Amino acid sequence: YVEAAYLSGAAGVCPPQFTTVSVPTVWTTFGAGTFPAVAILRDSNGTPLAGKTLTLYHDQVRAGTPRPTTTVVTDATGTARWDAPFDVDAGWRTGLVARFDGDLQHVRSSNVCSLYVDKASPQITWTAPAPITFGTALSSVQLNATTNVPGTTSYTPGVGGVLGGGTHTLRVSFTPTPSTNYLTATATVTLEVRRAPTTVTISGGPSAYNGYPQAATVSARDNRGAGLPVTVTYNGASTVPTDPG
């Protein structure tokens, strides 16, 4: 390559201009596949240099993978852009290397930027479960969220929980394993708990008149067979009837 060239003439010696390559820090996300690499070439006066060829490359790939490299001609703003492929874990990395090899009018220059790979957000898939009847304990039928990466899930309320009637919010917390490249995540769904059927049993009549109060025997049980509290009234009153009727 040409490091420097001097042209002699009546006006004297014309040395080539120095150049600078700017490469801003790049932010991307793990698993994105590429990151937006940008390099800007300017002369010593800060004027963008259009139509110049820059060599762009980086080493942010797995061991044994060829180093991604390309050449890009700068546009009218002196900018070269490249969707650079990468495959590395989250964290700070040495990013893009941009090199201008110089020409008869300009001295070669190069620069390197930092690359920050952020952790990715796991994808949680969880369909709202079908309504259940009061008394049904929560199980894997309702608590069945899935994720696109390995990890552990924790539900609130958890397996075995029995919810009252109405609409409830179920919540899952997901922790990736390992957590090198993925964030923790949460998701929610709603669950309707419907009223349970009740069985009421009444006994104690009809009875022959004997002048004494004659109460009915009443019991109630829910769908699980558990007893329920009962309040008995007679024609709207709590007094046990004595008279016929």
Side-chain angles (χ1 to χ4, degrees):
Y1 58 86
V2 177
E3 179 68 34
Y6 297 89
L7 303 178
S8 298
V13 177
C14 301
Q17 281 191 305
F18 287 100
T19 61
T20 60
V21 178
S22 301
V23 279
T25 297
V26 179
W27 300 76
T28 190
T29 303
F30 175 79
T34 62
F35 66 85
V38 177
I40 304 172
L41 179 66
R42 297 183 177 90
D43 64 18
S44 56
N45 296 317
T47 303
L49 296 176
K52 304 298 182 181
T53 299
L54 298 185
T55 300
L56 310 176
Y57 64 90
H58 70 87
D59 295 318
Q60 300 312 310
V61 291
R62 304 290 179 182
T65 303
R67 181 176 71 182
T69 304
T70 192
T71 56
V72 180
V73 176
T74 57
D75 62 18
T77 65
T79 302
R81 302 179 186 276
W82 179 36
D83 288 331
F86 78 100
D87 181 19
V88 288
D89 292 334
W92 281 104
R93 307 288 175 182
T94 300
L96 177 72
V97 177
R99 186 185 74 236
F100 172 57
D101 289 330
D103 55 26
L104 290 175
Q105 292 82 34
H106 304 93
V107 175
R108 72 190 303 268
S109 59
S110 63
N111 206 343
V112 61
C113 72
S114 296
L115 169 67
Y116 183 74
V117 181
D118 200 1
K119 293 183 178 183
S121 296
Q123 297 177 5
I124 299 178
T125 301
W126 194 10
T127 302
I132 61 175
T133 301
F134 171 72
T136 302
L138 296 176
S139 69
S140 59
V141 175
Q142 296 81 34
L143 309 179
N144 58 357
T146 60
T147 60
N148 63 328
V149 295
T152 58
T153 53
S154 175
Y155 294 94
T156 305
V159 172
V162 176
L163 303 176
T167 300
H168 299 267
T169 298
L170 308 181
R171 179 185 179 90
V172 63
S173 297
F174 174 73
T175 302
T177 305
S179 60
T180 305
N181 295 315
Y182 290 93
L183 301 165
T184 58
T186 61
T188 60
V189 295
T190 57
L191 172 66
E192 179 188 358
V193 180
R194 294 175 175 173
R195 293 180 178 181
T198 302
T199 301
V200 178
T201 303
I202 303 176
S203 61
S207 302
Y209 173 73
N210 59 10
Y212 294 97
Q214 298 190 50
T217 300
V218 182
S219 64
R221 295 186 180 277
D222 64 15
N223 61 317
R224 301 168 297 173
L228 300 172
V230 176
T231 299
V232 180
T233 61
Y234 305 87
N235 291 328
S238 60
T239 303
V240 178
T242 301
D243 297 330

